[in-house]
Amino acid sequence: MTLEFSGKTALVTGATRGIGLAIAQALYERGCQLVINSRDAADLQAVAAAMPGVVGIRADVTRVDEAGRLVSDALASLGSLDMLVCNVGSGSSVPPGEETPEEWKRVLDINLHSATNVVEAARNALALAGGTIVCISSICGQEHIPGAPVTYSVAKAALNAYVRGIARPFGLQGIRINAVAPGNVMFSGSVWERKLIANSNDVQSMLNRDVALGKLGRSEDVAELTCFLLSEKSSFATGAIWTLDGGQVRG
């Protein structure tokens, strides 16, 4: 299946490493006009330099004002907005049972509000374009994953509920919204890279026990599914959580 995005415009948040970077590269290679976002100006500059024509905009999208500025600046650069990918997130938190009010707020800001802030800021522009949104979630928001931080799991479950619930009012505006829920994804600097270095046998034992395909996923796997959901090939898909985990989720 060939997906082409020539003439289309997109904004990708959290786009300088891992899954976000793979999504940005996949869109760029398919001819998309692209704005990428990160909180780190140096990372943005490096990634944008490798993709001529791509615009990097620094913003902390956990803040409503900065999310609004990001969308305004992206529209000034692109002229319109056809596609939005909300990829900002982090599974780093305290062990289960050690949550604090401050940690709850921090993790919810990173994994839920980073998406809702940008989506609401971009809503009118996406309605004008008949646009599409993909939020990057996690299988931790779908069922209990042993050892996963409770704060992270709750935040991703809330993100999934948002995608399902907002799909109907967005559909009335001609906007589609879906989420991709990856399982264990390997990329440079990821937690799985660190775990493999520390004890590759333990990682493989976990994969053999818990994952039907017995392997880690790749950022490129998530990018390809994301591109499909952004494209007209998925024109009847909205309000859905698309699991991509090699067969780990049982529910």
Side-chain angles (χ1 to χ4, degrees):
M1 178 176 61
T2 301
L3 299 176
E4 179 65 34
F5 293 113
S6 295
K8 296 291 187 179
T9 58
L11 167 62
V12 182
T13 68
T16 57
R17 63 189 293 268
I19 290 171
L21 176 58
I23 292 169
Q25 290 172 329
L27 289 170
Y28 179 76
E29 290 166 3
R30 289 169 165 88
C32 187
Q33 294 177 274
L34 190 62
V35 167
I36 59 173
N37 154 258
S38 171
R39 290 185 296 185
D40 191 297
D43 287 349
L44 275 173
Q45 184 177 7
V47 172
M51 295 187 283
V54 169
V55 175
I57 299 176
R58 193 205 66 78
D60 179 355
V61 294
T62 67
R63 294 177 49 179
V64 173
D65 59 337
E66 293 205 24
R69 176 181 59 78
L70 168 63
V71 171
S72 295
D73 290 351
L75 286 169
S77 175
L78 297 170
S80 63
L81 187 61
D82 297 303
M83 299 178 290
L84 170 64
V85 179
C86 297
N87 175 67
V88 170
S90 171
S92 177
S93 187
V94 297
E98 298 182 15
E99 301 79 19
T100 64
E102 294 77 17
E103 184 66 0
W104 276 112
K105 182 181 185 306
R106 186 188 73 83
V107 177
L108 284 165
D109 281 346
I110 292 173
N111 292 289
L112 174 62
H113 300 140
S114 64
T116 59
N117 289 345
V118 179
V119 169
E120 290 303 317
R123 181 174 183 169
N124 290 338
L126 289 164
L128 286 173
T132 55
I133 305 166
V134 174
C135 298
I136 305 302
S137 184
S138 168
I139 60 170
C140 293
Q142 294 178 282
E143 68 178 34
H144 171 62
I145 305 296
V150 175
T151 51
Y152 178 67
S153 299
V154 169
K156 290 303 190 182
L159 178 61
N160 293 347
Y162 171 73
V163 168
R164 293 189 183 102
I166 206 69
R168 183 171 293 272
F170 274 19
L172 297 174
Q173 294 184 278
I175 302 169
R176 294 191 299 111
I177 182 169
N178 291 280
V180 176
N184 308 310
V185 176
M186 170 71 172
F187 55 86
S188 179
S190 70
V191 63
W192 290 106
E193 182 182 65
R194 296 194 294 272
K195 288 183 178 181
L196 280 170
I197 292 171
N199 195 323
S200 61
N201 289 332
D202 280 356
V203 172
Q204 192 58 55
S205 294
M206 181 279 295
L207 293 172
N208 292 340
R209 181 185 67 247
D210 295 335
V211 181
L213 295 182
K215 65 179 182 179
L216 295 168
R218 304 173 304 145
S219 297
E220 292 80 6
D221 298 324
V222 184
E224 290 300 313
L225 179 53
T226 300
C227 285
F228 168 71
L229 293 172
L230 291 170
S231 78
E232 287 301 312
K233 300 288 187 182
S234 65
S235 61
F236 197 50
T238 196
I241 315 303
W242 295 69
T243 303
L244 189 69
D245 67 347
Q248 183 172 355
V249 167
R250 302 294 194 271

